[in-house]
Amino acid sequence: MENRCEEMRDKLLCLLGDDGFVSGERLANDLRVSRTAVWKQIESLRKLGYEIESVKNKGYRLVSRPDVPIPEEIISGLDTQIVGRGVVYFKALSSTNVYARKLVDDGVAEGTVVVADVQHRGRGRKDRTWFSPEDGLWFSVILSPGIPPQRGMMLTMVASVSVVQAMRDVTGLSPVIKWPNDVLIDGKKVCGVLTELDAEMDRINYSIVGIGVNVNNRLDEGLYEKATTLLEEFGSKVSRVQLLRCILKRFDENYLRLMEGDYGFIRDKWVSMSNIVDRKVLVRDDDKTIQGIVSGVDEDGCLILKTDSGTQRIFSGDVEYL
Ligand code: BT5
């Protein structure tokens, strides 16, 4: 029933278009439903935030669309092959990654995106908390890449590269990637990626790539020192719908490159968007720390570090620039 309604709402939005009035009769005829059914759908669209004017003897006119990442706004005309084939939207969830996991168990299609306006238990890496109030962009992409698990970091890289490209496209800003999963503007975190995997020895069965972007949201008091929002950096509100569509489009392109085995392409793009090579860093991983100079990032996404005791490959950790 819900699906049928969504389908009808989609068609209704197409028919309403963006200019002029369309009569209730014409809508009812084209949709092959009663005028009362049309009215009900118009009401449900209004509840979602669409402003629709209705004038006697003229019909309905779409005045404005909401900036809410509902499937109707995200999927229409998206033109991707895998990423964003389906979108599931919630006003609030505990965590989009957790819900995505449930959808995997239900056998949902690869590329499905779960998005929520608010997360009550948004997650970072290592059980850290991700602050996710309204007006941000919190979503997860379900993938089944079939690549070896040691290449799993490349999925985080695909996500970060796509976010940077989309932010450039939409705002003209130039964010920088910080290994392993941060996107920064002027040294402050604007986006974080949490990639979770289910794998066998030789292949990843599925992966959930969670992306959190501070768009027009406020930040927690304690975060302002090290985090920022696009609103703050761009100076005015950024459309979440436009940004999400753009991220998904870029994600699809980059993911397809990865599926073709072009790890070098993703790695090179990632490196060109980060400023980590040749930097002196301290990497913390649980209670271990290691210091050195970054000589590069390999095609598994590992950091190559020149240390006093030789070259080391770093798989995980948090980086501090020295
Ligand atoms: C991350 O972890 O950066 C991964 C964040 C992934 C969030 C997305 S939202 C959609 C999906 N569903 C989820 O439940 N999660 C994903 P990490 O590198 O461990 O960074 C976490 C640290 O960033 C926290 O300990 C805070 O210091 C800081 N932080 C928390 N909320 C933040 C925010 N909104 N903006 C910037 N920094 C934040």
Side-chain angles (χ1 to χ4, degrees):
M1 184 63 190
E2 186 55 28
N3 274 349
R4 215 183 96 72
C5 288
E6 280 181 17
E7 231 173 76
M8 192 155 123
R9 280 202 310 241
D10 250 350
K11 284 191 191 143
L12 182 55
L13 279 171
C14 281
L15 291 172
L16 280 172
D18 280 318
D19 47 21
F21 280 93
V22 186
S23 74
E25 192 180 353
R26 184 163 152 224
L27 293 173
N29 281 343
D30 286 0
L31 291 168
R32 295 187 194 171
V33 295
S34 69
R35 287 179 66 169
T36 317
V38 169
W39 176 80
K40 275 194 187 152
Q41 289 305 317
I42 295 274
E43 281 307 300
S44 89
L45 283 171
R46 282 178 173 149
K47 276 199 192 114
L48 286 169
Y50 289 87
E51 201 185 328
I52 299 167
E53 189 183 2
S54 53
V55 173
K56 216 172 166 200
N57 297 329
K58 276 183 153 179
Y60 299 99
R61 183 173 76 92
L62 181 58
V63 179
S64 70
R65 295 165 169 272
D67 186 31
V68 181
I70 48 180
E72 286 86 346
E73 291 296 313
I74 302 303
I75 293 178
S76 149
L78 187 63
D79 190 26
T80 54
Q81 286 186 42
I82 297 176
V83 178
R85 281 202 290 212
V87 172
V88 188
Y89 161 82
F90 293 88
K91 272 191 188 316
L93 274 181
S94 64
S95 152
T96 56
N97 268 37
V98 171
Y99 192 84
R101 173 69 233 271
K102 279 192 212 142
L103 289 185
V104 170
D105 290 342
D106 294 347
V108 82
E110 179 181 29
T112 300
V113 173
V114 180
V115 54
D117 276 336
V118 171
Q119 295 186 118
H120 295 304
R121 287 219 187 104
R123 291 159 47 191
R125 290 174 303 145
K126 301 183 178 174
D127 284 333
R128 293 176 193 146
T129 304
W130 183 259
F131 184 63
S132 325
E134 58 189 15
D135 296 327
L137 207 45
W138 328 118
F139 65 100
S140 304
V141 183
I142 297 169
L143 300 170
S144 44
I147 57 176
Q150 67 268 22
R151 300 269 201 194
M153 257 292 285
M154 295 306 282
L155 297 169
T156 302
M157 292 195 156
V158 163
S160 313
V161 164
S162 309
V163 165
V164 170
Q165 289 173 323
M167 283 183 182
R168 282 181 184 166
D169 292 346
V170 173
T171 67
L173 293 165
S174 293
V176 170
I177 305 175
K178 184 177 172 205
W179 194 88
N181 67 325
D182 293 349
V183 176
L184 312 177
I185 300 179
D186 276 342
K188 292 182 168 185
K189 185 156 169 170
V190 70
C191 164
V193 179
L194 173 67
T195 302
E196 296 179 299
L197 302 176
D198 179 273
E200 284 164 39
M201 288 297 282
D202 57 341
R203 68 191 300 275
I204 295 173
N205 296 325
Y206 69 83
S207 166
I208 293 163
V209 181
I211 302 180
V213 187
N214 295 320
V215 187
N216 304 315
N217 54 294
R218 66 188 175 85
L219 289 172
D220 207 18
E221 239 356 87
L223 283 176
Y224 272 101
E225 214 172 286
K226 52 182 184 177
T228 190
T229 65
L230 286 179
L231 172 65
E232 202 145 312
E233 301 299 326
F234 185 59
S236 59
K237 279 197 173 180
V238 171
S239 160
R240 292 188 304 149
V241 164
Q242 196 193 351
L243 185 66
L244 179 55
R245 284 174 63 98
C246 203
I247 295 174
L248 298 181
K249 184 85 186 115
R250 294 296 202 161
F251 201 133
D252 192 62
E253 289 163 12
N254 294 318
Y255 183 62
L256 291 173
R257 285 300 282 262
L258 195 74
M259 289 301 89
E260 285 161 13
D262 207 346
Y263 300 103
F265 173 82
I266 302 299
R267 191 269 313 270
D268 292 349
K269 275 242 169 292
W270 188 97
V271 168
S272 75
M273 293 170 173
S274 94
N275 56 9
I276 201 165
V277 176
D278 293 334
R279 297 283 291 266
K280 194 171 179 190
V281 297
L282 177 82
V283 187
R284 269 181 229 284
D285 200 11
D286 297 324
D287 48 4
K288 283 181 291 182
T289 58
I290 180 162
Q291 201 170 307
I293 295 184
V294 178
S295 62
V297 173
D298 68 17
E299 292 185 8
D300 288 343
C302 291
L303 209 55
I304 310 299
L305 210 57
K306 276 187 275 177
T307 72
D308 289 345
S309 50
T311 300
Q312 300 216 22
R313 282 177 88 215
I314 311 290
F315 298 88
S316 64
D318 291 291
V319 165
E320 198 181 304
Y321 292 126
L322 297 174

